[in-house]
Amino acid sequence: AAAAQAPAVPLSAEQAKAVLAEVIKAFGAPENAQRMEEARDNACNDMGKMLQFLLPVATQIQQDVIKAYGFSSDGEGVLKFARLIKSYESQDPEIASMSGKLKAMFLPPMTLPPHGAGTGGVAAS
């Protein structure tokens, strides 16, 4: 692996939004939805198994889309893409919403309240 990797192509907020929409659409494609479903079944809601089965499939689906935009087609490319999206979340509510939708596709819903939430929240049943 070359140490002098080309930096990821900087995308504007609009471009990032377009790529994000494409990634979300890719997750909805029948063959990908099936792959995710199988991975979910194998994981049985076990967080460790989610990482083992679901994450590689989710990563692969994202790689297939983002490599066309200059991101490397490996885990590092997906991380760079995720960081880019994160950097736009605070500036663009639409990107934040789409990012949340994307995460919900491959991250199990969190059942624990955030740290420091206290007991003031509504209890989820």
Side-chain angles (χ1 to χ4, degrees):
Q5 268 193 336
V9 179
L11 299 175
S12 69
E14 283 308 307
Q15 291 168 314
K17 200 181 294 180
V19 179
L20 195 52
E22 218 176 298
V23 169
I24 290 171
K25 201 167 76 188
F27 273 94
E31 69 277 9
N32 289 336
Q34 170 138 20
R35 286 168 62 197
M36 290 294 287
E37 194 55 47
E38 284 169 12
R40 238 182 236 109
D41 289 347
N42 289 335
C44 312
N45 276 339
D46 176 301
M47 196 58 179
K49 289 183 178 165
M50 284 282 186
L51 296 174
Q52 189 183 347
F53 295 115
L54 210 56
L55 223 48
V57 175
T59 301
Q60 186 66 58
I61 293 170
Q62 289 183 68
Q63 284 168 356
D64 290 346
V65 174
I66 66 174
K67 66 184 178 200
Y69 296 90
F71 291 92
S72 57
S73 59
D74 57 12
E76 187 57 35
V78 172
L79 288 173
K80 283 182 178 161
F81 176 67
R83 281 195 289 267
L84 177 76
I85 295 303
K86 189 112 189 91
S87 73
Y88 284 126
E89 281 179 2
S90 59
Q91 306 161 27
D92 190 318
E94 197 180 340
I95 288 181
S97 163
M98 291 167 77
S99 174
K101 197 180 294 181
L102 176 61
K103 287 181 190 128
M105 291 176 174
F106 61 87
L107 290 176
M110 295 315 255
T111 49
L112 295 173
H115 291 296
T119 53
V122 177
S125 54

